[in-house]
Amino acid sequence: MKTQTHPGWSWLLRLIAAVIMLQTLYFKFSAAPESVYIFSTVGMEPWGRIFVGVLELIASILILIPRTTAYGALIGIGVMTGAVFMHLTRLGIVVQNDSGKLFVMAVIVLITCLVLVYWHRSSISGVKARD
């Protein structure tokens, strides 16, 4: 697996994405009122909250393993695209007076995952590297 930039930058982006996703798991898995509100508002409580938490856990683990970074980032892109979409269509950017913090974190994870997939695209099965 070869990245298109300095490996230190890849690790930094991997840590940012994983830490943000992992720190939200407590709220999802403990049925914190904020998470229950969010998933109730979008009509996905409780199954969606738990499912998204499991996906974020899997994505975070895969992102931190060098050989599977691209696969974890692909899962992260899917989950964060859904989160950003729900913020823009149903939740609003500010949720329960959070000043847009959850929205910004979702955008940060989405961007880091997009960059990681691009940098690590040669490790994805079926993607042929250009010469």
Side-chain angles (χ1 to χ4, degrees):
M1 179 199 61
K2 183 179 175 186
T3 60
Q4 299 296 319
T5 189
H6 190 276
W9 285 109
S10 176
W11 269 109
L12 178 64
L13 294 185
R14 290 159 68 187
L15 286 173
I16 290 169
V19 166
I20 290 173
M21 286 190 284
L22 289 170
Q23 68 89 24
T24 66
L25 294 182
Y26 170 78
F27 300 99
K28 288 181 181 77
F29 292 149
S30 69
E34 302 87 357
S35 286
V36 171
Y37 170 81
I38 289 168
F39 285 92
S40 293
T41 301
V42 300
M44 297 172 60
E45 175 62 28
W47 62 271
R49 174 176 49 80
I50 295 165
F51 181 66
V52 168
V54 169
L55 286 176
E56 288 178 346
L57 177 60
I58 292 168
S60 298
I61 292 168
L62 292 175
I63 283 171
L64 293 173
I65 300 170
R67 287 187 354 231
T68 60
T69 295
Y71 294 105
L74 284 169
I75 295 169
I77 289 169
V79 173
M80 292 307 130
T81 298
V84 169
F85 178 78
M86 288 301 174
H87 274 279
L88 295 175
T89 60
R90 293 194 177 178
L91 292 168
I93 291 176
V94 176
V95 178
Q96 292 192 322
N97 300 315
D98 76 340
S99 302
K101 182 180 175 183
L102 290 174
F103 177 76
V104 168
M105 287 193 304
V107 170
I108 290 169
V109 174
L110 178 58
I111 291 169
T112 58
C113 286
L114 286 166
V115 173
L116 287 169
V117 165
Y118 179 75
W119 284 350
H120 295 271
R121 66 191 179 277
S122 64
S123 68
I124 300 172
S125 295
V127 175
K128 189 173 183 178
R130 292 187 207 178
D131 293 329

